[in-house]
Every structure is written in C-alpha cells, then in structure tokens.
Amino acid sequence: MDLITRFINYTKFDTQSDENSASVPSAGEKHLAFASYLMEELEDEGLDDVEMDENGYIYATLPSNIKGDAPVIGFIAHYDTSPDCSGANVKARIVKNYDGKDIVLSEGIVSSTEKFPELLQHVGEDIIVTDGHTLLGADDKAGIAEIVQAMVWLKEHPEVKHGKIRIAFNPDEEIGMGAHHFDVEKFGCQWAYTIDGSDLGNLEYENFNAAYAKVTVKGVSVHPGFAKGKMLNANLVAMEFAAMLPADERPETTEGYEGFYHLLHMDGGVEEAHLQYIIRDHDRDTFEDRKVLVKKVAKKLNEKYGEGVVTVEVGDQYYNMKEKIDPQMHVIDIVLRAMMEVGVSPSVEPIRGGTDGAQLSFKGLPCPNIFAGGVNFHGPYEFVSCQVMEKAMETIIKICEITAEYNE
C-alpha cells in the first residue's frame, strides 16, 4: 500500500473528539473502531510489540537492525479529529498537478486563492481536498500515514541502518487530553517527535504556556419595573469584566510570540452569567502576570459590587516545551540535518497553540513537532499536498538513519 492510499483510507473513519465526554477515548466506539483497524494494519505490516491499551493508545516497535547501542527514539501522531468541524463521511479527492486556480469543492463551495493564498505554494503538486462539507483529517491522519509508511519502508530496506524505533498513536489531542494517558515509561524512548505540524519544513519546539479561566458572576434578579437600587444584572457585570481585559491582547490582534486572553464562551441571565477564557503566552513570567490580572479584575469588580459577585477559577493546562528542549538541542539538530539531507528547508516557528509534545516533554519525553503537511486545519477547506507528505515520510526515515550514528 502506498502512502496516499493509506492516508485516504484513514480519512474514511469518523474520529471526531467529543469535548463534552468524560470517557477515554472521548468518542468511545468511534475512536476504538479506527484504533482497532490501525492496530491490525501494524500487525499485518510486521511491526513488533503491537498493542492497544484500555484507553485506545496504540504502541508498536520497529526493532533495531544494527549491532551495539543507539538511542531509542519514537514518533507519535494523534488519530482524533477536531470537534470544530464534522469528520463523518469525508470525501477526499486528489487534484492532480494543481494549476493555481480556485478549487470548486462542491456546488457553491470554493476554496479560493484569495482567501487561502497558501494554495499557491503548491502549484504543480497533487493536493488532497474535501468536498467542502467536512474537514479532511490531515490533522493528524497524515502524520499517522507518514509514520507507518516510513516504518514499512525501513523494513523493506534493511540496508538503511537504524536503532530501535517506537511509534505511538493516541486519541483526544484535539481536546487537550492526548498526552494525559500516554504511558511514557512503556514507550521507553530517550526522545520522540510528534508528526503533527503544518506545511513543508515546519519544525516547532516552542509553544504557548496555557491556562484556562472560568468566571462566574452572581447577580440579583428583580422585576424590572421595581429594580431601581435592587437589581444587579450579571450579564452586564460579565461584559464589564470582559472590557477590563486588554482589548489589543486577543487572538485576532496578536501574532508570533504575542500572548492573549481569548473569550471562548459566554452565557447567562440577570441572576448568573459565565465567561470561559483561555490564557496564552510564550514567556513564563508574562504568562503568570496574565493569570494575576484576571484575578485582579475580579477583585476590582467585587470591590465595586460586593464580595463574591465575581469568582474566578484559574488552572494551568500545559507549559512551553522550550525549557525542556533547550538542554537537549541535539534532538533539534538531528531534525534540521535530516530535513536538509532530504531537500527540505527548515522553517522553525513557535506554536501559537499546544501540542501533545509539550505535555510529553514535561512528563520526561522531549518531543518537538515536525510537519505533516496539512493546511487550513479544523475546517472544510483543509488540504494536504501529496508531495509534502512524501517529504515528511523521507524526513522520518532520515531521522532514524542519523540517530543510528548518534553517540551521547
């Protein structure tokens, strides 16, 4: 089976995560159906130690083909897709030798170069698109396909020397839970790479520090005809809270290393209102300051309206993996060398988001993120280049080859 066929087969499974589920994996049987298919495929391809645990996490091994010791490294990808867009009945198709024009996905649904100029970087390539009604699932089934195909290629080419390679595929990355049940000790690697980045050459080992803030406002409901001096409208206090955070520090006004406060959800009535935020910053000190500011805003409103009117729950979600990668920069140097040797120009960028690799790095497994090829994630205009997927696969193979030569 070739790389592209493998990937398209994967997209036929609906593996959308459920952010409201308390089960693991979050989508239950939907996730386990694909996991079982994938496990059987790995067994058929002759990998060793293929297993799936009770949480739907899959582990497997490609044994070393060299004498002596080499670092045990791993490659990881997630098989769930985003809750932001349907992943059911995905109709993937290949646009051969893309000509640089707008692509009609379905009647009335067009992927235009004006709206998505990233398309123009792939003129002359074969790109895989949807029919405009679902996401594609390149995030991160492209990563899975590339890892599996790389392991198959290495088995078929024993002349290419490599140490022991571990691979793992997990659910629930899209809802921030992918690394929570990952068994780092069982995985048994000195370091690993998530194959979950975006376009050609993308390499990420810096990400946001992340926290959530849940704001509850308690109001006083009184008949509006008799409300003077008595009513406290929780909705209006909630709006006041939102207005007291910096207006120029939101996702839509920031880029690069700039952090933000993002209002994800709000609801309520006169008697009670709720705001749900995520807080992000690359710098750890500034990140801590942001959490403090949220609490200060609540304190000021309580001084104005009365103690207990506004309560805030703040909790950390993950941290910037850079502080764990910096002491072990050989993990990055190997990737940079691998990319250049397969003809890919590295593009090292900070992640304006999170990745399983961030949490895994803090669990003792240094784990930067490498491109898988997908573009326009989490929506119906998602696409991936076949040629970029092939380069991702080649990069994985080259990393394995270089690591066999590595001596600590």
Side-chain angles (χ1 to χ4, degrees), residues 81-130:
T81 60
S82 171
D84 295 344
C85 184
S86 174
N89 301 311
V90 173
K91 294 180 173 61
R93 68 180 174 95
I94 302 174
V95 179
K96 294 279 190 179
N97 192 23
Y98 172 58
D99 60 8
K101 298 178 181 178
D102 293 353
I103 301 173
V104 178
L105 303 178
S106 290
E107 185 176 353
I109 305 176
V110 178
S111 186
S112 71
T113 57
E114 180 179 0
K115 190 170 184 179
F116 304 109
E118 300 89 349
L119 283 164
L120 297 176
Q121 298 175 22
H122 299 281
V123 173
E125 298 175 11
D126 304 324
I127 61 175
I128 307 173
V129 299
T130 72

Side-chain angles (χ1 to χ4, degrees), residues 25 27-37 52-56 79:
E29 290 304 317
K30 283 203 309 185
H31 280 161
L32 294 176
F34 178 67
S36 297
Y37 170 87
M52 179 171 65
D53 69 15
E54 68 277 10
N55 296 311
Y79 60 76

Side-chain angles (χ1 to χ4, degrees), residues 356-377:
D356 280 344
Q359 297 181 52
L360 292 172
S361 293
F362 281 87
K363 292 177 75 171
L365 180 67
C367 197
N369 193 36
I370 300 173
F371 72 98
V375 183
N376 297 336
F377 292 160

Side-chain angles (χ1 to χ4, degrees), residues 157-277:
H157 294 81
E159 72 278 8
V160 176
K161 302 305 178 184
H162 59 83
K164 180 180 178 181
I165 310 297
R166 292 279 280 160
I167 64 174
F169 306 123
N170 60 270
D172 295 335
E173 188 271 353
E174 296 291 1
I175 57 173
M177 301 293 289
H180 284 214
H181 299 279
F182 194 103
D183 193 332
V184 169
E185 184 176 353
K186 177 192 288 185
F187 199 44
C189 295
Q190 290 168 254
W191 69 84
Y193 303 96
T194 50
I195 310 301
D196 191 22
S198 55
D199 215 342
L200 184 68
N202 178 232
L203 171 61
E204 301 164 324
Y205 64 95
E206 300 179 65
N207 59 277
F208 278 139
N209 295 289
Y212 68 84
K214 297 179 181 179
V215 182
T216 301
V217 182
K218 298 286 188 181
V220 178
S221 181
V222 180
H223 188 289
F226 307 95
K228 186 173 182 180
K230 301 173 184 175
M231 178 184 287
L232 179 60
N233 192 323
N235 286 321
L236 295 178
V237 178
M239 291 166 62
E240 195 172 346
F241 183 99
M244 291 172 73
L245 294 176
D248 60 348
E249 296 180 18
R250 299 171 179 165
E252 62 268 35
T253 61
T254 55
E255 62 184 353
Y257 286 94
E258 297 169 336
F260 56 73
Y261 306 87
H262 179 34
L263 178 57
L264 284 176
H265 182 74
M266 63 186 301
D267 65 75
V270 174
E271 196 164 340
E272 185 167 313
H274 304 273
L275 303 170
Q276 184 175 339
Y277 283 90

